[in-house]
């Protein structure tokens, strides 16, 4: 009976999907979309190419799933930062979260969303567009939060929420690039603190 039941339900999965996706995320994070070959990905995930396609779809779909995991995990500080009671608190928390996330010693430095597809061929256009939309979504969420801050009187009426949001997102992108280039956490935090010292700037 037990043997027949096993035959009916199929062969059990031989790998942990979450763990495999986490390993794929780290490869994409470190090497970018095009830099991560299928061989490198499947080797890191500990599965065959056939299993990768069967479970995650093609390479682009795997990247999309990895980006979702990144958004819900390492990049989740953005959603928490938007809940800060003041606009300056929001900006400070976003910048601090970026510095912290892009310099952890146990994971790749930099940001998956910033340099994941900086250089892609036509075949990687879908991923490039995906990351542009991902970054734009972050910018829009910050802009809307700053618009609310103006409405609530937390920011002066003449403040420009769109420009402030662009300033913060450009600052975090610069931090991510610098972190990927080896700039230390302390130096990045010092720079970030200086950048926010004259808040609001517009």
């Amino acid at each position: 009976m037990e043997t027949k039941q096993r035959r009916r339900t199929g062969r059990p999965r031989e790998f942990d999907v979450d763990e495999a996706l986490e390993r794929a995320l780290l490869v994409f994070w470190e090497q970018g979309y095009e830099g991560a070959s299928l061989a490198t990905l499947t080797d890191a995930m500990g599965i065959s190419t056939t299993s990768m396609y069967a479970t995650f779809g093609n390479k682009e779909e795997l990247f999309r799933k990895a980006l979702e995991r990144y958004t819900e995990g390492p990049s989740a500080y953005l959603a928490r930062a938007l809940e800060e009671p003041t606009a300056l608190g929001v900006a400070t928390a976003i910048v601090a979260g970026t510095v912290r996330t892009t310099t952890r010693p146990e994971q790749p430095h930099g940001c998956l969303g910033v340099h994941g597809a900086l250089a892609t061929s036509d075949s990687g256009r879908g991923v490039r567009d995906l990351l542009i939309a991902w970054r734009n979504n972050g910018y829009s969420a910050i802009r809307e939060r700053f618009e609310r801050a103006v409405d609530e009187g937390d920011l002066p009426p003449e403040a420009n929420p769109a420009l402030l949001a662009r300033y913060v997102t450009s600052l975090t992108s610069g931090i991510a690039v610098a972190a990927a280039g080896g700039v230390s956490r302390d130096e990045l935090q010092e720079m970030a603190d200086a950048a926010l010292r004259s808040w609001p700037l517009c």
Side-chain angles (χ1 to χ4, degrees):
M1 177 70 71
E2 184 179 352
T3 302
K4 289 181 180 179
Q5 184 175 4
R6 284 180 179 175
R7 286 175 182 171
R8 284 198 301 269
T9 57
R11 190 175 177 181
R13 195 183 298 277
E14 296 179 352
F15 65 94
D16 186 303
V17 174
D18 286 338
E19 183 178 345
L21 183 56
E22 180 68 23
R23 291 177 179 178
L25 165 59
L26 294 176
V27 173
F28 282 129
W29 192 347
E30 185 172 23
Q31 300 183 18
Y33 176 72
E34 289 202 340
S37 67
L38 279 177
T40 302
L41 286 164
T42 53
D43 184 61
M45 296 164 77
I47 61 177
S48 67
T49 303
T50 301
S51 294
M52 191 277 283
Y53 279 114
T55 306
F56 300 102
N58 59 24
K59 181 182 174 183
E60 182 174 326
E61 286 303 312
L62 176 62
F63 184 85
R64 289 175 182 273
K65 290 180 174 66
L67 182 62
E68 290 174 5
R69 189 176 187 89
Y70 181 81
T71 302
E72 296 166 358
S75 191
Y77 64 86
L78 174 59
R80 294 192 296 269
L82 294 173
E83 297 175 359
E84 290 290 327
T86 66
L88 177 56
V90 170
T92 301
I94 290 173
V95 171
T98 303
V99 171
R100 187 172 58 251
T101 300
T102 58
T103 58
R104 284 198 176 112
E106 71 275 11
Q107 65 190 23
H109 287 183
C111 171
L112 172 66
V114 171
H115 65 256
L118 285 179
T120 55
S121 63
D122 288 342
S123 63
R125 184 175 300 171
V127 167
R128 185 173 64 241
D129 292 345
L130 171 69
L131 288 177
I132 289 173
W134 183 84
R135 291 191 295 270
N136 285 341
N137 286 340
Y139 159 78
S140 296
I142 298 168
R143 186 199 67 224
E144 289 169 7
R145 177 62 184 84
F146 290 164
E147 288 171 351
R148 196 181 93 202
V150 172
D151 293 339
E152 294 173 348
D154 175 46
L155 284 173
E158 67 273 14
N160 186 329
L163 193 55
L164 279 172
R166 190 65 69 192
Y167 178 78
V168 171
T169 55
S170 296
L171 176 60
T172 57
S173 294
I175 289 171
V177 172
V183 179
S184 71
R185 174 179 290 193
D186 289 344
E187 188 174 350
L188 289 172
Q189 188 62 58
E190 185 178 359
M191 181 269 289
D193 292 342
L196 294 177
R197 206 162 283 149
S198 55
W199 181 272
L201 301 174
C202 26

Coordinates of all heavy atoms in Angstrom, one line a residue, residues 13-28 40-47 52 55-56 62 65-66 69:
R13 N 10.6 15.6 -4.1 CA 11.6 16.6 -4.5 C 12.9 16.3 -3.8 O 12.9 16.1 -2.5 CB 11.1 18.0 -4.3 CG 11.9 19.1 -5.0 CD 11.4 20.4 -4.6 NE 10.1 20.7 -5.0 CZ 9.7 21.0 -6.2 NH1 10.6 21.2 -7.2 NH2 8.4 21.2 -6.5
E14 N 14.0 16.4 -4.4 CA 15.3 16.0 -3.8 C 16.1 17.2 -3.4 O 17.3 17.1 -3.0 CB 16.1 15.2 -4.8 CG 15.4 13.8 -5.2 CD 16.3 13.0 -6.2 OE1 17.2 13.6 -6.7 OE2 15.9 11.9 -6.4
F15 N 15.5 18.4 -3.4 CA 16.3 19.6 -3.0 C 15.3 20.6 -2.4 O 14.1 20.5 -2.6 CB 17.0 20.2 -4.1 CG 16.2 20.8 -5.2 CD1 15.8 22.1 -5.2 CD2 15.7 20.0 -6.3 CE1 15.0 22.7 -6.2 CE2 14.9 20.5 -7.3 CZ 14.6 21.9 -7.2
D16 N 15.8 21.4 -1.5 CA 15.0 22.5 -0.9 C 14.9 23.7 -1.8 O 15.9 24.3 -2.1 CB 15.7 22.9 0.4 CG 14.9 23.8 1.3 OD1 14.5 24.9 0.8 OD2 14.6 23.5 2.4
V17 N 13.7 24.0 -2.2 CA 13.4 25.0 -3.2 C 13.9 26.4 -2.7 O 14.5 27.2 -3.4 CB 11.9 25.1 -3.6 CG1 11.7 26.3 -4.5 CG2 11.6 23.8 -4.3
D18 N 13.5 26.7 -1.4 CA 13.9 27.9 -0.8 C 15.4 28.1 -0.7 O 15.9 29.2 -1.0 CB 13.3 28.1 0.6 CG 11.8 28.4 0.5 OD1 11.3 28.8 -0.5 OD2 11.1 28.1 1.5
E19 N 16.1 27.1 -0.3 CA 17.5 27.1 -0.2 C 18.2 27.3 -1.6 O 19.1 28.1 -1.8 CB 18.1 25.9 0.4 CG 19.6 25.9 0.6 CD 20.1 24.6 1.4 OE1 19.3 23.9 1.9 OE2 21.3 24.4 1.3
A20 N 17.6 26.6 -2.6 CA 18.2 26.7 -4.0 C 18.0 28.1 -4.5 O 18.8 28.7 -5.1 CB 17.5 25.7 -4.9
L21 N 16.8 28.7 -4.2 CA 16.5 30.1 -4.7 C 17.4 31.1 -4.0 O 17.9 32.1 -4.6 CB 15.0 30.4 -4.4 CG 14.6 31.8 -4.9 CD1 14.8 32.0 -6.4 CD2 13.1 32.0 -4.6
E22 N 17.7 30.9 -2.7 CA 18.6 31.7 -1.9 C 20.0 31.7 -2.5 O 20.6 32.8 -2.7 CB 18.6 31.3 -0.5 CG 19.5 32.2 0.4 CD 19.0 33.6 0.6 OE1 17.8 33.8 0.5 OE2 19.8 34.5 0.9
R23 N 20.4 30.5 -2.9 CA 21.7 30.4 -3.5 C 21.8 31.1 -4.9 O 22.8 31.7 -5.3 CB 22.1 29.0 -3.6 CG 22.4 28.3 -2.3 CD 22.7 26.8 -2.4 NE 23.0 26.2 -1.2 CZ 23.2 24.9 -1.0 NH1 23.3 24.1 -2.1 NH2 23.5 24.4 0.2
A24 N 20.7 31.0 -5.7 CA 20.6 31.6 -7.0 C 20.6 33.2 -6.8 O 21.3 33.9 -7.5 CB 19.4 31.2 -7.7
L25 N 19.9 33.6 -5.8 CA 19.9 35.1 -5.5 C 21.4 35.6 -5.2 O 21.7 36.6 -5.7 CB 19.1 35.3 -4.2 CG 19.2 36.7 -3.5 CD1 18.9 37.8 -4.5 CD2 18.3 36.8 -2.3
L26 N 22.1 34.9 -4.4 CA 23.5 35.3 -4.1 C 24.4 35.3 -5.4 O 25.2 36.2 -5.6 CB 24.1 34.4 -3.1 CG 23.5 34.4 -1.7 CD1 24.1 33.4 -0.8 CD2 23.6 35.8 -1.1
V27 N 24.1 34.4 -6.3 CA 24.9 34.4 -7.6 C 24.5 35.6 -8.4 O 25.4 36.3 -8.9 CB 24.7 33.1 -8.3 CG1 25.3 33.2 -9.7 CG2 25.2 31.9 -7.6
F28 N 23.3 35.8 -8.6 CA 22.8 37.0 -9.3 C 23.3 38.3 -8.7 O 23.7 39.2 -9.4 CB 21.3 37.0 -9.4 CG 20.7 36.1 -10.5 CD1 19.7 35.2 -10.1 CD2 21.2 36.1 -11.8 CE1 19.1 34.4 -11.0 CE2 20.6 35.2 -12.7 CZ 19.6 34.3 -12.3
T40 N 26.9 28.1 -13.6 CA 27.3 28.6 -12.2 C 26.0 28.6 -11.3 O 26.1 28.2 -10.1 CB 27.8 30.1 -12.4 OG1 28.9 30.1 -13.2 CG2 28.1 30.6 -11.0
L41 N 24.9 28.9 -11.9 CA 23.7 29.0 -11.1 C 23.3 27.6 -10.6 O 23.1 27.4 -9.4 CB 22.5 29.5 -11.9 CG 22.6 31.1 -12.1 CD1 21.6 31.5 -13.3 CD2 22.2 31.8 -10.8
T42 N 23.3 26.6 -11.5 CA 22.8 25.3 -11.1 C 23.9 24.6 -10.2 O 23.5 23.9 -9.3 CB 22.6 24.4 -12.3 OG1 23.8 24.4 -13.2 CG2 21.4 24.9 -13.1
D43 N 25.1 24.9 -10.4 CA 26.2 24.4 -9.5 C 26.0 25.0 -8.1 O 26.0 24.2 -7.1 CB 27.5 24.7 -10.0 CG 28.7 24.1 -9.2 OD1 28.7 22.9 -9.1 OD2 29.5 24.9 -8.6
A44 N 25.7 26.3 -8.0 CA 25.5 26.9 -6.7 C 24.2 26.3 -6.0 O 24.2 26.2 -4.8 CB 25.4 28.4 -6.8
M45 N 23.2 26.1 -6.8 CA 21.9 25.6 -6.3 C 21.9 24.2 -6.0 O 21.0 23.7 -5.3 CB 20.8 25.9 -7.3 CG 20.6 27.4 -7.6 SD 19.6 27.7 -9.1 CE 18.0 27.3 -8.6
G46 N 22.9 23.4 -6.5 CA 23.0 22.0 -6.2 C 22.0 21.2 -7.0 O 21.6 20.1 -6.5
I47 N 21.6 21.7 -8.2 CA 20.6 20.9 -8.9 C 21.0 20.9 -10.4 O 21.9 21.6 -10.8 CB 19.2 21.6 -8.8 CG1 19.3 23.0 -9.4 CG2 18.7 21.6 -7.4 CD1 17.9 23.7 -9.4
M52 N 16.2 22.8 -12.6 CA 16.1 24.3 -12.6 C 14.9 24.7 -13.5 O 14.1 25.5 -13.0 CB 17.4 24.9 -13.0 CG 17.4 26.4 -12.7 SD 16.6 27.5 -13.9 CE 17.9 27.4 -15.2
T55 N 11.5 23.6 -12.1 CA 11.0 24.2 -10.9 C 10.9 25.7 -11.0 O 9.9 26.3 -10.5 CB 12.0 23.9 -9.7 OG1 12.2 22.4 -9.6 CG2 11.5 24.4 -8.4
F56 N 11.8 26.3 -11.7 CA 11.8 27.8 -11.7 C 11.5 28.4 -13.0 O 11.4 29.6 -13.1 CB 13.2 28.3 -11.2 CG 13.6 27.9 -9.8 CD1 14.5 26.8 -9.6 CD2 13.0 28.5 -8.7 CE1 14.8 26.4 -8.3 CE2 13.3 28.1 -7.4 CZ 14.2 27.1 -7.2
L62 N 13.8 32.7 -13.2 CA 14.6 32.5 -11.9 C 15.0 33.8 -11.4 O 15.0 34.0 -10.1 CB 15.8 31.6 -12.2 CG 16.8 31.3 -11.1 CD1 16.0 30.6 -9.9 CD2 18.0 30.5 -11.5
K65 N 12.2 35.6 -9.7 CA 11.9 35.0 -8.3 C 12.9 35.4 -7.3 O 12.7 35.7 -6.2 CB 11.8 33.5 -8.4 CG 10.6 33.0 -9.2 CD 10.6 31.4 -9.3 CE 9.3 30.9 -9.9 NZ 9.1 31.2 -11.3
A66 N 14.2 35.5 -7.8 CA 15.3 35.9 -6.9 C 15.1 37.4 -6.5 O 15.3 37.7 -5.3 CB 16.6 35.7 -7.6
R69 N 12.5 37.6 -3.9 CA 13.1 37.2 -2.6 C 14.0 38.3 -2.0 O 14.0 38.5 -0.8 CB 13.9 35.9 -2.8 CG 14.3 35.3 -1.5 CD 15.1 33.9 -1.8 NE 15.4 33.2 -0.6 CZ 14.5 32.4 0.0 NH1 13.4 32.1 -0.5 NH2 14.9 31.7 1.1

